[in-house]
mmCIF file of all heavy atoms in Angstrom:
data_model
loop_
_atom_site.group_PDB
_atom_site.id
_atom_site.type_symbol
_atom_site.label_atom_id
_atom_site.label_comp_id
_atom_site.label_asym_id
_atom_site.label_seq_id
_atom_site.Cartn_x
_atom_site.Cartn_y
_atom_site.Cartn_z
ATOM 1 N N GLN A 180 -14.332 11.341 28.701
ATOM 2 C CA GLN A 180 -14.486 9.936 28.991
ATOM 3 C C GLN A 180 -13.113 9.244 29.022
ATOM 4 O O GLN A 180 -12.383 9.295 28.054
ATOM 5 C CB GLN A 180 -15.425 9.255 27.994
ATOM 6 C CG GLN A 180 -15.586 7.773 28.268
ATOM 7 C CD GLN A 180 -16.203 7.042 27.042
ATOM 8 O OE1 GLN A 180 -15.660 7.130 25.980
ATOM 9 N NE2 GLN A 180 -17.357 6.423 27.234
ATOM 10 N N LYS A 181 -12.873 8.563 30.137
ATOM 11 C CA LYS A 181 -11.635 7.702 30.202
ATOM 12 C C LYS A 181 -12.201 6.292 30.314
ATOM 13 O O LYS A 181 -13.199 6.051 30.969
ATOM 14 C CB LYS A 181 -10.812 8.019 31.455
ATOM 15 C CG LYS A 181 -10.105 9.345 31.323
ATOM 16 C CD LYS A 181 -8.674 9.196 30.733
ATOM 17 C CE LYS A 181 -8.304 10.307 29.787
ATOM 18 N NZ LYS A 181 -8.262 11.640 30.439
ATOM 19 N N ILE A 182 -11.472 5.343 29.711
ATOM 20 C CA ILE A 182 -11.846 3.919 29.891
ATOM 21 C C ILE A 182 -10.792 3.364 30.828
ATOM 22 O O ILE A 182 -9.592 3.385 30.556
ATOM 23 C CB ILE A 182 -11.873 3.162 28.571
ATOM 24 C CG1 ILE A 182 -12.960 3.742 27.631
ATOM 25 C CG2 ILE A 182 -12.130 1.678 28.826
ATOM 26 C CD1 ILE A 182 -14.384 3.614 28.105
ATOM 27 N N GLN A 187 -16.303 2.991 31.900
ATOM 28 C CA GLN A 187 -16.268 4.444 31.704
ATOM 29 C C GLN A 187 -16.048 5.141 33.002
ATOM 30 O O GLN A 187 -16.668 4.890 34.050
ATOM 31 C CB GLN A 187 -17.633 4.931 31.119
ATOM 32 C CG GLN A 187 -17.789 6.476 31.147
ATOM 33 C CD GLN A 187 -19.037 6.943 30.535
ATOM 34 O OE1 GLN A 187 -19.250 6.743 29.372
ATOM 35 N NE2 GLN A 187 -19.900 7.594 31.311
ATOM 36 N N PHE A 471 -6.265 6.928 9.849
ATOM 37 C CA PHE A 471 -6.944 6.645 11.026
ATOM 38 C C PHE A 471 -6.283 5.506 11.821
ATOM 39 O O PHE A 471 -6.164 5.572 13.092
ATOM 40 C CB PHE A 471 -8.465 6.288 10.803
ATOM 41 C CG PHE A 471 -9.288 6.280 12.050
ATOM 42 C CD1 PHE A 471 -9.364 7.381 12.879
ATOM 43 C CD2 PHE A 471 -10.011 5.123 12.386
ATOM 44 C CE1 PHE A 471 -10.195 7.344 14.021
ATOM 45 C CE2 PHE A 471 -10.816 5.141 13.505
ATOM 46 C CZ PHE A 471 -10.885 6.262 14.298
ATOM 47 N N ALA A 472 -5.843 4.500 11.088
ATOM 48 C CA ALA A 472 -5.096 3.364 11.701
ATOM 49 C C ALA A 472 -3.819 3.927 12.415
ATOM 50 O O ALA A 472 -3.523 3.485 13.547
ATOM 51 C CB ALA A 472 -4.737 2.367 10.666
ATOM 52 N N HIS A 474 -3.409 6.953 13.552
ATOM 53 C CA HIS A 474 -3.882 7.693 14.714
ATOM 54 C C HIS A 474 -4.209 6.773 15.844
ATOM 55 O O HIS A 474 -3.865 7.018 17.051
ATOM 56 C CB HIS A 474 -5.168 8.484 14.363
ATOM 57 C CG HIS A 474 -5.804 9.217 15.455
ATOM 58 N ND1 HIS A 474 -5.378 10.470 15.923
ATOM 59 C CD2 HIS A 474 -6.859 8.889 16.260
ATOM 60 C CE1 HIS A 474 -6.138 10.832 16.943
ATOM 61 N NE2 HIS A 474 -7.005 9.868 17.179
ATOM 62 N N LEU A 475 -4.896 5.652 15.546
ATOM 63 C CA LEU A 475 -5.277 4.670 16.590
ATOM 64 C C LEU A 475 -3.975 4.090 17.262
ATOM 65 O O LEU A 475 -3.954 3.877 18.465
ATOM 66 C CB LEU A 475 -6.085 3.545 16.046
ATOM 67 C CG LEU A 475 -7.515 3.898 15.616
ATOM 68 C CD1 LEU A 475 -8.222 2.656 15.142
ATOM 69 C CD2 LEU A 475 -8.284 4.494 16.786
ATOM 70 N N GLU A 476 -2.998 3.833 16.396
ATOM 71 C CA GLU A 476 -1.810 3.247 16.962
ATOM 72 C C GLU A 476 -1.087 4.244 17.886
ATOM 73 O O GLU A 476 -0.662 3.885 18.942
ATOM 74 C CB GLU A 476 -0.886 2.762 15.788
ATOM 75 C CG GLU A 476 0.005 1.616 16.245
ATOM 76 C CD GLU A 476 0.828 1.064 15.105
ATOM 77 O OE1 GLU A 476 0.327 1.081 13.908
ATOM 78 O OE2 GLU A 476 1.981 0.676 15.349
ATOM 79 N N HIS A 478 -2.459 6.843 19.481
ATOM 80 C CA HIS A 478 -3.210 7.332 20.657
ATOM 81 C C HIS A 478 -3.820 6.163 21.531
ATOM 82 O O HIS A 478 -4.041 6.432 22.654
ATOM 83 C CB HIS A 478 -4.327 8.305 20.201
ATOM 84 C CG HIS A 478 -3.729 9.612 19.612
ATOM 85 N ND1 HIS A 478 -3.595 10.701 20.390
ATOM 86 C CD2 HIS A 478 -3.316 9.891 18.392
ATOM 87 C CE1 HIS A 478 -3.117 11.650 19.586
ATOM 88 N NE2 HIS A 478 -2.904 11.178 18.375
ATOM 89 N N TYR A 479 -4.034 5.075 20.897
ATOM 90 C CA TYR A 479 -4.724 3.972 21.642
ATOM 91 C C TYR A 479 -3.887 2.737 21.743
ATOM 92 O O TYR A 479 -4.243 1.774 22.319
ATOM 93 C CB TYR A 479 -6.041 3.650 21.033
ATOM 94 C CG TYR A 479 -7.077 4.760 20.993
ATOM 95 C CD1 TYR A 479 -7.064 5.630 19.910
ATOM 96 C CD2 TYR A 479 -7.998 4.935 22.042
ATOM 97 C CE1 TYR A 479 -8.037 6.661 19.879
ATOM 98 C CE2 TYR A 479 -8.892 5.950 21.992
ATOM 99 C CZ TYR A 479 -8.930 6.842 20.900
ATOM 100 O OH TYR A 479 -9.842 7.859 20.868
ATOM 101 N N LYS A 480 -2.706 2.758 21.100
ATOM 102 C CA LYS A 480 -1.775 1.648 21.087
ATOM 103 C C LYS A 480 -2.415 0.405 20.593
ATOM 104 O O LYS A 480 -2.278 -0.703 21.092
ATOM 105 C CB LYS A 480 -1.244 1.383 22.513
ATOM 106 C CG LYS A 480 -0.718 2.609 23.279
ATOM 107 C CD LYS A 480 0.668 2.986 22.799
ATOM 108 C CE LYS A 480 1.148 4.344 23.319
ATOM 109 N NZ LYS A 480 0.971 5.502 22.446
ATOM 110 N N VAL A 481 -3.288 0.502 19.580
ATOM 111 C CA VAL A 481 -3.894 -0.662 18.925
ATOM 112 C C VAL A 481 -3.466 -0.692 17.502
ATOM 113 O O VAL A 481 -3.409 0.289 16.779
ATOM 114 C CB VAL A 481 -5.405 -0.747 19.026
ATOM 115 C CG1 VAL A 481 -5.873 -1.209 20.358
ATOM 116 C CG2 VAL A 481 -6.047 0.564 18.611
ATOM 117 N N ILE A 483 -4.278 -2.156 13.773
ATOM 118 C CA ILE A 483 -5.287 -2.728 13.037
ATOM 119 C C ILE A 483 -4.903 -2.865 11.569
ATOM 120 O O ILE A 483 -3.992 -2.099 11.115
ATOM 121 C CB ILE A 483 -6.671 -1.940 13.091
ATOM 122 C CG1 ILE A 483 -6.386 -0.510 12.707
ATOM 123 C CG2 ILE A 483 -7.209 -2.054 14.491
ATOM 124 C CD1 ILE A 483 -7.681 0.271 12.499
ATOM 125 N N PHE A 489 -14.000 -1.360 7.834
ATOM 126 C CA PHE A 489 -14.172 -0.473 9.041
ATOM 127 C C PHE A 489 -15.610 -0.352 9.309
ATOM 128 O O PHE A 489 -16.299 0.457 8.566
ATOM 129 C CB PHE A 489 -13.443 0.855 8.853
ATOM 130 C CG PHE A 489 -11.946 0.831 9.025
ATOM 131 C CD1 PHE A 489 -11.217 -0.372 8.878
ATOM 132 C CD2 PHE A 489 -11.258 2.000 9.295
ATOM 133 C CE1 PHE A 489 -9.835 -0.377 8.955
ATOM 134 C CE2 PHE A 489 -9.852 1.999 9.422
ATOM 135 C CZ PHE A 489 -9.112 0.816 9.290
ATOM 136 N N ASP A 490 -16.084 -1.066 10.260
ATOM 137 C CA ASP A 490 -17.531 -1.125 10.545
ATOM 138 C C ASP A 490 -17.765 -0.280 11.832
ATOM 139 O O ASP A 490 -17.263 -0.623 12.911
ATOM 140 C CB ASP A 490 -17.844 -2.578 10.761
ATOM 141 C CG ASP A 490 -19.299 -2.812 11.167
ATOM 142 O OD1 ASP A 490 -19.992 -1.836 11.438
ATOM 143 O OD2 ASP A 490 -19.734 -3.965 11.133
ATOM 144 N N VAL A 491 -18.445 0.851 11.680
ATOM 145 C CA VAL A 491 -18.449 1.817 12.757
ATOM 146 C C VAL A 491 -19.846 2.160 13.282
ATOM 147 O O VAL A 491 -20.757 2.469 12.564
ATOM 148 C CB VAL A 491 -17.810 3.154 12.213
ATOM 149 C CG1 VAL A 491 -17.642 4.190 13.322
ATOM 150 C CG2 VAL A 491 -16.434 2.878 11.532
ATOM 151 N N GLN A 492 -19.919 2.105 14.557
ATOM 152 C CA GLN A 492 -21.116 2.678 15.261
ATOM 153 C C GLN A 492 -20.672 3.635 16.277
ATOM 154 O O GLN A 492 -20.174 3.269 17.383
ATOM 155 C CB GLN A 492 -21.904 1.482 15.950
ATOM 156 C CG GLN A 492 -23.159 1.945 16.527
ATOM 157 C CD GLN A 492 -24.055 0.804 17.121
ATOM 158 O OE1 GLN A 492 -23.538 -0.155 17.573
ATOM 159 N NE2 GLN A 492 -25.348 1.038 17.140
ATOM 160 N N VAL A 493 -20.792 4.909 15.958
ATOM 161 C CA VAL A 493 -20.405 5.951 16.940
ATOM 162 C C VAL A 493 -21.580 6.789 17.192
ATOM 163 O O VAL A 493 -22.151 7.402 16.284
ATOM 164 C CB VAL A 493 -19.192 6.769 16.443
ATOM 165 C CG1 VAL A 493 -17.888 5.961 16.600
ATOM 166 C CG2 VAL A 493 -19.400 7.254 15.020
ATOM 167 N N LYS A 494 -22.004 6.930 18.417
ATOM 168 C CA LYS A 494 -23.156 7.695 18.841
ATOM 169 C C LYS A 494 -23.342 7.494 20.318
ATOM 170 O O LYS A 494 -22.720 6.573 20.866
ATOM 171 C CB LYS A 494 -24.394 7.223 18.127
ATOM 172 C CG LYS A 494 -24.608 5.651 18.141
ATOM 173 C CD LYS A 494 -25.789 5.197 17.390
ATOM 174 C CE LYS A 494 -25.632 5.163 15.895
ATOM 175 N NZ LYS A 494 -26.437 6.100 15.170
ATOM 176 N N ILE A 496 -24.463 6.133 23.808
ATOM 177 C CA ILE A 496 -24.906 4.817 24.135
ATOM 178 C C ILE A 496 -26.345 4.941 24.638
ATOM 179 O O ILE A 496 -26.601 5.675 25.636
ATOM 180 C CB ILE A 496 -24.032 4.141 25.208
ATOM 181 C CG1 ILE A 496 -22.586 4.154 24.822
ATOM 182 C CG2 ILE A 496 -24.597 2.716 25.591
ATOM 183 C CD1 ILE A 496 -22.091 3.046 23.968
ATOM 184 N N VAL A 525 -12.963 -4.710 11.317
ATOM 185 C CA VAL A 525 -12.657 -3.967 12.534
ATOM 186 C C VAL A 525 -13.964 -3.290 12.961
ATOM 187 O O VAL A 525 -14.565 -2.620 12.118
ATOM 188 C CB VAL A 525 -11.631 -2.907 12.372
ATOM 189 C CG1 VAL A 525 -11.312 -2.249 13.696
ATOM 190 C CG2 VAL A 525 -10.381 -3.488 11.781
ATOM 191 N N LEU A 526 -14.424 -3.518 14.095
ATOM 192 C CA LEU A 526 -15.631 -2.929 14.554
ATOM 193 C C LEU A 526 -15.332 -1.868 15.595
ATOM 194 O O LEU A 526 -14.775 -2.156 16.616
ATOM 195 C CB LEU A 526 -16.607 -3.986 15.097
ATOM 196 C CG LEU A 526 -16.909 -4.996 14.008
ATOM 197 C CD1 LEU A 526 -16.414 -6.351 14.389
ATOM 198 C CD2 LEU A 526 -18.365 -4.942 13.689
ATOM 199 N N PHE A 527 -15.717 -0.650 15.245
ATOM 200 C CA PHE A 527 -15.538 0.442 16.205
ATOM 201 C C PHE A 527 -16.806 0.686 16.914
ATOM 202 O O PHE A 527 -17.874 0.775 16.276
ATOM 203 C CB PHE A 527 -15.103 1.695 15.526
ATOM 204 C CG PHE A 527 -13.821 1.569 14.748
ATOM 205 C CD1 PHE A 527 -13.844 1.429 13.411
ATOM 206 C CD2 PHE A 527 -12.633 1.552 15.424
ATOM 207 C CE1 PHE A 527 -12.657 1.266 12.675
ATOM 208 C CE2 PHE A 527 -11.371 1.405 14.691
ATOM 209 C CZ PHE A 527 -11.454 1.274 13.332
ATOM 210 N N ASN A 528 -16.741 0.977 18.146
ATOM 211 C CA ASN A 528 -17.930 1.352 18.837
ATOM 212 C C ASN A 528 -17.488 2.448 19.788
ATOM 213 O O ASN A 528 -16.424 2.344 20.385
ATOM 214 C CB ASN A 528 -18.494 0.251 19.592
ATOM 215 C CG ASN A 528 -19.939 0.339 19.629
ATOM 216 O OD1 ASN A 528 -20.430 1.323 20.062
ATOM 217 N ND2 ASN A 528 -20.624 -0.643 19.157
ATOM 218 N N SER A 529 -18.235 3.435 19.888
ATOM 219 C CA SER A 529 -17.754 4.486 20.727
ATOM 220 C C SER A 529 -18.879 5.473 21.115
ATOM 221 O O SER A 529 -19.776 5.756 20.321
ATOM 222 C CB SER A 529 -16.730 5.325 19.872
ATOM 223 O OG SER A 529 -16.412 6.478 20.506
ATOM 224 N N SER A 530 -18.711 5.958 22.315
ATOM 225 C CA SER A 530 -19.492 7.088 22.779
ATOM 226 C C SER A 530 -19.662 7.002 24.236
ATOM 227 O O SER A 530 -19.231 6.133 24.958
ATOM 228 C CB SER A 530 -20.861 7.080 22.226
ATOM 229 O OG SER A 530 -21.420 8.342 22.585
ATOM 230 N N GLN A 531 -20.208 8.207 24.767
ATOM 231 C CA GLN A 531 -20.408 8.316 26.224
ATOM 232 C C GLN A 531 -21.724 7.688 26.642
ATOM 233 O O GLN A 531 -22.682 7.647 25.881
ATOM 234 C CB GLN A 531 -20.506 9.792 26.568
ATOM 235 C CG GLN A 531 -19.141 10.456 26.768
ATOM 236 C CD GLN A 531 -18.752 11.098 25.455
ATOM 237 O OE1 GLN A 531 -19.225 10.758 24.379
ATOM 238 N NE2 GLN A 531 -17.775 12.004 25.549
ATOM 239 N N ALA A 532 -21.718 7.203 27.855
ATOM 240 C CA ALA A 532 -22.995 6.818 28.493
ATOM 241 C C ALA A 532 -23.296 8.021 29.547
ATOM 242 O O ALA A 532 -22.353 8.527 30.094
ATOM 243 C CB ALA A 532 -22.809 5.527 29.262
ATOM 244 N N ILE A 543 -21.165 -0.418 27.667
ATOM 245 C CA ILE A 543 -19.773 -0.107 27.393
ATOM 246 C C ILE A 543 -18.840 -1.247 27.967
ATOM 247 O O ILE A 543 -17.962 -1.703 27.230
ATOM 248 C CB ILE A 543 -19.341 1.257 27.991
ATOM 249 C CG1 ILE A 543 -20.056 2.385 27.338
ATOM 250 C CG2 ILE A 543 -17.814 1.488 27.978
ATOM 251 C CD1 ILE A 543 -19.705 3.762 27.856
ATOM 252 N N ILE A 546 -18.922 -4.225 25.618
ATOM 253 C CA ILE A 546 -18.108 -4.049 24.382
ATOM 254 C C ILE A 546 -16.668 -4.149 24.694
ATOM 255 O O ILE A 546 -15.928 -4.833 23.927
ATOM 256 C CB ILE A 546 -18.411 -2.616 23.762
ATOM 257 C CG1 ILE A 546 -19.905 -2.462 23.420
ATOM 258 C CG2 ILE A 546 -17.523 -2.326 22.557
ATOM 259 C CD1 ILE A 546 -20.312 -0.974 23.102
ATOM 260 N N THR A 547 -16.177 -3.526 25.741
ATOM 261 C CA THR A 547 -14.721 -3.682 26.083
ATOM 262 C C THR A 547 -14.408 -5.145 26.420
ATOM 263 O O THR A 547 -13.314 -5.598 26.136
ATOM 264 C CB THR A 547 -14.310 -2.715 27.189
ATOM 265 O OG1 THR A 547 -15.118 -2.974 28.381
ATOM 266 C CG2 THR A 547 -14.546 -1.263 26.812
ATOM 267 N N VAL A 565 -12.152 -5.613 17.803
ATOM 268 C CA VAL A 565 -13.235 -4.838 18.393
ATOM 269 C C VAL A 565 -12.660 -3.698 19.218
ATOM 270 O O VAL A 565 -11.986 -3.958 20.165
ATOM 271 C CB VAL A 565 -14.155 -5.683 19.318
ATOM 272 C CG1 VAL A 565 -15.292 -4.854 19.865
ATOM 273 C CG2 VAL A 565 -14.686 -6.929 18.562
ATOM 274 N N ILE A 566 -12.930 -2.485 18.780
ATOM 275 C CA ILE A 566 -12.240 -1.356 19.440
ATOM 276 C C ILE A 566 -13.294 -0.345 19.979
ATOM 277 O O ILE A 566 -14.153 0.073 19.227
ATOM 278 C CB ILE A 566 -11.334 -0.634 18.440
ATOM 279 C CG1 ILE A 566 -10.141 -1.617 18.082
ATOM 280 C CG2 ILE A 566 -10.749 0.649 19.013
ATOM 281 C CD1 ILE A 566 -9.347 -1.146 16.900
ATOM 282 N N PHE A 567 -13.175 -0.061 21.224
ATOM 283 C CA PHE A 567 -14.009 0.986 21.787
ATOM 284 C C PHE A 567 -13.204 2.259 21.810
ATOM 285 O O PHE A 567 -12.138 2.348 22.535
ATOM 286 C CB PHE A 567 -14.436 0.603 23.214
ATOM 287 C CG PHE A 567 -15.491 1.611 23.734
ATOM 288 C CD1 PHE A 567 -16.841 1.421 23.595
ATOM 289 C CD2 PHE A 567 -15.095 2.757 24.412
ATOM 290 C CE1 PHE A 567 -17.815 2.314 23.982
ATOM 291 C CE2 PHE A 567 -15.994 3.681 24.853
ATOM 292 C CZ PHE A 567 -17.357 3.469 24.625
ATOM 293 N N LEU A 568 -13.585 3.218 21.032
ATOM 294 C CA LEU A 568 -12.833 4.520 20.960
ATOM 295 C C LEU A 568 -13.203 5.366 22.117
ATOM 296 O O LEU A 568 -14.375 5.718 22.328
ATOM 297 C CB LEU A 568 -13.186 5.228 19.669
ATOM 298 C CG LEU A 568 -12.896 4.539 18.362
ATOM 299 C CD1 LEU A 568 -13.554 5.298 17.220
ATOM 300 C CD2 LEU A 568 -11.389 4.390 18.117
ATOM 301 N N GLU A 569 -12.149 5.651 22.885
ATOM 302 C CA GLU A 569 -12.387 6.435 24.119
ATOM 303 C C GLU A 569 -12.722 7.927 23.752
ATOM 304 O O GLU A 569 -12.195 8.455 22.802
ATOM 305 C CB GLU A 569 -11.061 6.417 24.920
ATOM 306 C CG GLU A 569 -11.118 6.942 26.271
ATOM 307 C CD GLU A 569 -9.709 6.843 26.904
ATOM 308 O OE1 GLU A 569 -8.772 7.429 26.406
ATOM 309 O OE2 GLU A 569 -9.548 6.072 27.850
ATOM 310 N N ASN A 570 -13.587 8.506 24.539
ATOM 311 C CA ASN A 570 -13.866 9.934 24.462
ATOM 312 C C ASN A 570 -14.302 10.409 23.113
ATOM 313 O O ASN A 570 -13.753 11.381 22.525
ATOM 314 C CB ASN A 570 -12.640 10.704 24.935
ATOM 315 C CG ASN A 570 -13.005 12.140 25.458
ATOM 316 O OD1 ASN A 570 -14.142 12.333 25.896
ATOM 317 N ND2 ASN A 570 -12.077 13.022 25.385
ATOM 318 N N TYR A 571 -15.367 9.811 22.604
ATOM 319 C CA TYR A 571 -15.931 10.287 21.340
ATOM 320 C C TYR A 571 -16.422 11.708 21.495
ATOM 321 O O TYR A 571 -17.016 12.117 22.476
ATOM 322 C CB TYR A 571 -17.126 9.347 21.007
ATOM 323 C CG TYR A 571 -17.740 9.648 19.663
ATOM 324 C CD1 TYR A 571 -16.982 9.557 18.438
ATOM 325 C CD2 TYR A 571 -19.103 9.995 19.517
ATOM 326 C CE1 TYR A 571 -17.585 9.801 17.243
ATOM 327 C CE2 TYR A 571 -19.651 10.257 18.300
ATOM 328 C CZ TYR A 571 -18.869 10.141 17.176
ATOM 329 O OH TYR A 571 -19.442 10.416 15.944
ATOM 330 N N ARG A 572 -16.165 12.529 20.472
ATOM 331 C CA ARG A 572 -16.560 13.909 20.464
ATOM 332 C C ARG A 572 -16.469 14.410 19.031
ATOM 333 O O ARG A 572 -16.055 13.655 18.141
ATOM 334 C CB ARG A 572 -15.596 14.729 21.434
ATOM 335 C CG ARG A 572 -14.105 14.646 21.035
ATOM 336 C CD ARG A 572 -13.191 15.030 22.207
ATOM 337 N NE ARG A 572 -11.850 15.118 21.746
ATOM 338 C CZ ARG A 572 -11.030 14.094 21.518
ATOM 339 N NH1 ARG A 572 -11.461 12.845 21.552
ATOM 340 N NH2 ARG A 572 -9.788 14.310 21.149
ATOM 341 N N THR A 574 -14.405 16.193 17.396
ATOM 342 C CA THR A 574 -13.060 16.051 16.825
ATOM 343 C C THR A 574 -12.731 14.621 16.466
ATOM 344 O O THR A 574 -12.062 14.376 15.457
ATOM 345 C CB THR A 574 -12.013 16.654 17.762
ATOM 346 O OG1 THR A 574 -12.309 17.994 17.947
ATOM 347 C CG2 THR A 574 -10.643 16.505 17.298
ATOM 348 N N LEU A 575 -13.206 13.653 17.229
ATOM 349 C CA LEU A 575 -12.931 12.256 16.902
ATOM 350 C C LEU A 575 -13.838 11.780 15.777
ATOM 351 O O LEU A 575 -13.411 11.051 14.870
ATOM 352 C CB LEU A 575 -13.064 11.380 18.149
ATOM 353 C CG LEU A 575 -12.640 9.918 18.012
ATOM 354 C CD1 LEU A 575 -11.169 9.823 17.531
ATOM 355 C CD2 LEU A 575 -12.752 9.244 19.388
ATOM 356 N N ALA A 576 -15.056 12.356 15.758
ATOM 357 C CA ALA A 576 -15.966 12.023 14.629
ATOM 358 C C ALA A 576 -15.326 12.520 13.309
ATOM 359 O O ALA A 576 -15.423 11.778 12.311
ATOM 360 C CB ALA A 576 -17.312 12.700 14.856
ATOM 361 N N GLU A 577 -14.680 13.603 13.302
ATOM 362 C CA GLU A 577 -14.077 14.127 12.103
ATOM 363 C C GLU A 577 -12.939 13.210 11.599
ATOM 364 O O GLU A 577 -12.653 13.247 10.415
ATOM 365 C CB GLU A 577 -13.490 15.542 12.370
ATOM 366 C CG GLU A 577 -14.589 16.615 12.517
ATOM 367 C CD GLU A 577 -14.121 17.919 13.183
ATOM 368 O OE1 GLU A 577 -12.836 18.050 13.328
ATOM 369 O OE2 GLU A 577 -14.953 18.721 13.525
ATOM 370 N N LYS A 578 -12.375 12.423 12.506
ATOM 371 C CA LYS A 578 -11.368 11.485 12.059
ATOM 372 C C LYS A 578 -11.884 10.143 11.671
ATOM 373 O O LYS A 578 -11.484 9.520 10.753
ATOM 374 C CB LYS A 578 -10.336 11.343 13.179
ATOM 375 C CG LYS A 578 -9.579 12.532 13.554
ATOM 376 C CD LYS A 578 -8.554 12.315 14.684
ATOM 377 C CE LYS A 578 -7.498 13.394 14.851
ATOM 378 N NZ LYS A 578 -8.024 14.602 15.520
ATOM 379 N N ALA A 579 -12.882 9.681 12.476
ATOM 380 C CA ALA A 579 -13.417 8.315 12.216
ATOM 381 C C ALA A 579 -14.351 8.267 11.020
ATOM 382 O O ALA A 579 -14.241 7.284 10.261
ATOM 383 C CB ALA A 579 -14.218 7.878 13.476
ATOM 384 N N ILE A 580 -15.206 9.202 10.824
ATOM 385 C CA ILE A 580 -16.224 9.092 9.739
ATOM 386 C C ILE A 580 -15.604 9.064 8.349
ATOM 387 O O ILE A 580 -16.005 8.118 7.576
ATOM 388 C CB ILE A 580 -17.187 10.296 9.878
ATOM 389 C CG1 ILE A 580 -18.068 10.080 11.184
ATOM 390 C CG2 ILE A 580 -18.146 10.301 8.652
ATOM 391 C CD1 ILE A 580 -18.973 11.167 11.528
ATOM 392 N N ALA A 582 -13.053 7.601 7.511
ATOM 393 C CA ALA A 582 -12.384 6.313 7.411
ATOM 394 C C ALA A 582 -13.318 5.096 7.412
ATOM 395 O O ALA A 582 -12.917 3.978 7.198
ATOM 396 C CB ALA A 582 -11.351 6.126 8.575
ATOM 397 N N ALA A 583 -14.615 5.349 7.556
ATOM 398 C CA ALA A 583 -15.581 4.271 7.759
ATOM 399 C C ALA A 583 -15.973 3.694 6.406
ATOM 400 O O ALA A 583 -16.180 4.403 5.423
ATOM 401 C CB ALA A 583 -16.826 4.763 8.493
ATOM 402 N N PHE A 604 -21.840 9.962 7.512
ATOM 403 C CA PHE A 604 -21.206 8.769 6.948
ATOM 404 C C PHE A 604 -21.552 8.634 5.427
ATOM 405 O O PHE A 604 -20.677 8.325 4.619
ATOM 406 C CB PHE A 604 -21.717 7.498 7.653
ATOM 407 C CG PHE A 604 -21.054 7.215 8.950
ATOM 408 C CD1 PHE A 604 -21.729 7.513 10.144
ATOM 409 C CD2 PHE A 604 -19.817 6.703 9.031
ATOM 410 C CE1 PHE A 604 -21.181 7.331 11.379
ATOM 411 C CE2 PHE A 604 -19.228 6.430 10.298
ATOM 412 C CZ PHE A 604 -19.902 6.773 11.405
#
Side-chain angles (χ1 to χ4, degrees):
Q180 179 196 55
K181 290 267 142 59
I182 298 296
Q187 167 175 300
F471 192 56
H474 175 83
L475 287 183
E476 208 176 324
H478 294 263
Y479 299 87
K480 312 279 170 268
V481 281
I483 56 171
F489 283 20
D490 177 347
V491 186
Q492 185 176 28
V493 287
K494 50 182 76 249
I496 306 277
V525 184
L526 299 118
F527 300 102
N528 213 302
S529 169
S530 191
Q531 278 93 341
I543 292 182
I546 298 166
T547 58
V565 180
I566 294 167
F567 188 90
L568 299 170
E569 189 180 64
N570 204 23
Y571 185 59
R572 59 200 188 285
T574 298
L575 190 52
E577 288 162 11
K578 296 181 165 76
I580 292 171
F604 283 102

